[in-house]
Amino acid sequence: MTVGIVMLVHTALERAEQVARHWDKAGCPVVIHVDKKVPRETYDRFVAALADRPDILFSKRYRCEWGTWGLVAATQSACARILDGFPMVRHVYLTSGACLPLRPVQELQDYLAARPQTDFIESATTADVPWTVGGLDEERFIYRFPFAWRRHRFLFDKYTQLQRFLRLKRNVPANLVPHMGSQWWCLTRRTLTAILQDPARKTHDRYFRRVWIPDESYFQTLARLYSNNIESRSLTLSKFDFQGKPHIFYDDHLQLLHRSDCFVARKIWPRANRLYEKFLTQPAGVSGRQEPNPGKIDRVFAKAVQRRVRGRAGLYMQSRYPRNDSKNRVTAAPYSVFQGFSELFENFEPWLAEATGARVHGHLFAPDRAHFANGQTTINGALSDSAVLRDYNPDAFLTNLIWNTRGERQCFQFGPGDNQAINWRIAKDPNAQISVISGAWAVPLYRCKAEFLDLRQRAARLQKIESEHLSVLRSSEVKARVRIWSMADFVEAPMEPLQAILEDIGSETSRRLSEVPRMVDLSGFGQFLQNLKNEGMHPYLMGDFPVEPEEEPAKQAKSPRPYLVR
Amino acid sequence: MSQELGIWARYKLRLRRKRLLWRAFRKRREILAISRKTDAIKPKDVLLFATVRNEMQRLPYFLSHYRRLGVGHFLIVDNASEDGSDAYLADQPDVSVWHTSASYKASRFGMDWLTCLMWRYGPDHWTLTVDADEVLIYPDWERRDLHDLTKALDRAGLSAMGALMLDLYPKGPIEDQSYTPGHDPVETLSWFDAHGYWAQRQPKMSNLWLQGGPRARVFFADDPGRAPTLNKVPLVRWHRSFVYVNSTHNALPARLNRVYDEGGLEKPWGALLHTKFLPDAGARARSEKARGEHFADPTLFENYYDGVAANPDLWCPSSVRFESAAQLEHLGLMHRGNLRFDL
């Protein structure tokens, strides 16, 4: 008892010959179908080249166009040929010219000999499979498809639309339940004979002749009628890209294919010399490997598809420019925005850098220049600190910065004095973590010794800008992680928010804060706010600061004020 | 089509395209064939279209580079050259030359003339529209010619490929260098900016607007909005209804400008090595300023002309020496997308 190989070949005939000889050498009879599109002379040469092998036969040639009946007709006649010609054949393995056996043929023979009644054919009902690409799943079975999609795309589309519009549906033959699956199967003689000699074969053939892509459904459906023991999987490893086209294996997939332990893989690039050399010349012995294990290869290719479809988040360039409303993330990595912290704490930036290991910038969107960490004038990716260039396209400045510094957490300060054009972009970015102490912009005003009237005007302007920014941050479209404290609340209990921020950034979460930043001396701040009020300006964003708790807190504030670990 | 545009906006684009075609048709008599060898064009040839003026410095290398890439025929409009470019081109076996002395500016910077020629000879060919100072390269160009590239583009279902104009420059003042016509300009202009380009979407024609590079760095530091446009769509599978709008920066119908991906993997991108800064750049800038045939409003760009004419040194410490296509690919300035050359 042995396994017979049916090969469907349309190109790269010299590779097909090589593989056919490989099967033949291991004692598997082979029947080859060559596409009718192959010119007569080429075909004759191919036949002549294999004439020395009595167990390699050729079947009647059909014209095989992707998605049409020809492929099934070819398979049928080749299968009939192999069943008639080689009574020793118990399993028939359907392969293509681009298939390559990865394990010694003996192992495949042993594997099938141990499962003499099993049909290996991927077969699932249309409702249950997600793998059809391009929309036609159950419609493949209820409309007619007389036009080839490759050559007559327009007619194909129009005729399908017309049938949809007129609701012309075909009847599926009564005993059939449409199933689909990979067209590379391995069936037992019993099942295959039953399919080919079915008294109703004419009806079946007539129905499937107008089904779309019948090679993925003909045997898959009929096997369900006759087989007692279907293993719904293909023994052939084949991967599909996002458009449903088969992935091609090259020389660099050698290790991956080797470790997959699959029996056969497709599609192999005809000029992948190393692959053919390695797998067709390996020793015939048995290596003791058991089940195919394509897990690793699945992961690699799933990743490739993911990369092709989703791309790399946060990358904007000449050849890839995601739209704002796409599912993609806006930026490449999480980052943190701090508003009001460097105003309220004297040494916030160095402290944060110390505590988290992140790169902590100053006000990146300041009017004079982008204040990069450590006073740098350019940063990764030759991003310049020029305010002109930054304001020319602030979105791009931010996305480039985050992209260029991937792998290192970025934090920066923001405030109502900065360019506000970026607000929506940040607010809608799921990667952004925004922490705001509202009203903290008043602290530098309070500490600077300027004309009070001037201060009052600046305070009014800053408060207006910040309150607009806060309404952005509170809108329902925000996707960023936003935390807002009023300054009064924050000053009351700064430890908890700081701890939470550090946990967000995610370094050394378990440790309690050992050192906290130094808060500026706020004695007299209440009075300063009262003065603003007296001038007719109403500062409200910072919450309530009592005017005259003078004595008590003032003293406290004088002792430099690191909060102690509690 | 561009989903974000309404029917009216799209209809206006259509009218604009028709108007540009009509305009080119009216100008068909401005160009006069002085050497027409177009009978030799074979159905699968890649055709190159260009307008030139006084380009004897660059033409020998230009022709040899594109011949190496497998261009089948060159169709060139000579705009009143005085240095013998026209005679030189007419002598070449695979070049057809048309002559005109009409205004470059009034013909949309040569585009009307080229639209005429492309309407006539371009359909169903892959066409390459470049200037004499633009050298197209793309991933693997050393091994894969334009036939391989266009075949791969066809297979990927793409009908155009974009390219970044990459300004090359020498180390030291530009006029102090030397260049022998016919040599690879990269020997003289060995440096480029690896970083400092930026892109933004222009929804109207759905193209990306790329800017940056050394010219933005040196001449437009205070006014980046005016910095030169660096995106081009030089390689298109031409159709009679197509038309370039603004040089080859963008084309109509707008789908031709979608040479970038909007979600997933990068699309194939090439680079046009821009050899503007060969030693004659200063002299050219002086004469162009006087002619006023470039830019819609040349007065706005006087500083730019003066800057180029003042023999500047564009080199800076972060400049990168040009090595190969693989280097540009590694820097992300070019991309192979999902092109598969080898099938």
Side-chain angles (χ1 to χ4, degrees), chain A residues 248 250 269 271 307-312 315 317-323 328 381-382 388-389 392-393, chain B residues 4 195 198-201 208-211 222 224-225 260-267 269 332-333 335 342:
Chain A
I248 306 229
Y250 299 95
W269 186 43
R271 281 185 267 166
R307 170 81 169 264
R308 174 65 187 84
V309 178
R310 301 294 301 277
R312 294 177 279 179
L315 172 63
M317 63 193 309
Q318 75 276 29
S319 47
R320 176 188 195 268
Y321 204 85
R323 285 141 75 97
N328 278 281
V388 179
L389 282 177
Y392 180 59
N393 194 341
Chain B
E4 72 258 52
H195 302 283
W198 59 86
Q200 50 191 306
R201 255 176 80 80
L208 281 189
W209 187 19
L210 300 183
Q211 292 172 283
D222 324 325
Y260 56 96
D261 200 275
E262 293 187 330
L265 188 70
E266 303 79 31
K267 275 193 185 172
W269 259 79
L333 296 173
H335 259 287
D342 37 17

Side-chain angles (χ1 to χ4, degrees), chain A residues 292-341:
Chain A
N293 172 28
K296 170 131 186 166
I297 231 170
D298 283 344
R299 280 193 295 280
V300 170
F301 280 87
K303 233 162 119 184
V305 169
Q306 190 70 11
R307 170 81 169 264
R308 174 65 187 84
V309 178
R310 301 294 301 277
R312 294 177 279 179
L315 172 63
Y316 294 82
M317 63 193 309
Q318 75 276 29
S319 47
R320 176 188 195 268
Y321 204 85
R323 285 141 75 97
N324 290 340
D325 49 6
S326 80
K327 293 154 274 178
N328 278 281
R329 284 170 175 245
V330 180
T331 48
Y335 59 94
S336 309
V337 185
F338 294 99
Q339 180 154 338
F341 286 73

Side-chain angles (χ1 to χ4, degrees), chain A residues 1-4 26-29 86-92 105 109 112-113:
Chain A
M1 287 290 137
T2 182
V3 49
C28 299
F86 303 97
M88 288 293 284
V89 166
R90 182 163 53 198
H91 273 96
V92 174
V105 178
Q109 285 165 339
L112 292 174

Side-chain angles (χ1 to χ4, degrees), chain A residues 452-512:
Chain A
F452 190 76
L453 210 62
D454 180 36
L455 287 184
R456 180 206 172 289
Q457 267 172 7
R458 273 157 66 187
R461 193 172 57 86
L462 293 177
Q463 172 156 275
K464 184 155 174 284
I465 293 172
E466 185 166 79
S467 93
E468 275 164 21
H469 185 197
L470 290 181
S471 70
V472 167
L473 292 181
R474 285 176 177 134
S475 91
S476 59
E477 288 165 62
V478 167
K479 296 208 183 75
R481 173 152 173 61
V482 180
R483 289 199 172 95
I484 303 172
W485 302 270
S486 76
M487 188 175 151
D489 289 350
F490 194 92
V491 171
E492 193 77 5
M495 287 302 287
E496 228 168 283
L498 287 176
Q499 184 82 43
I501 286 165
L502 291 190
E503 274 167 24
D504 267 2
I505 295 179
S507 73
E508 303 166 19
T509 41
S510 55
R511 243 178 49 201
R512 297 279 301 170

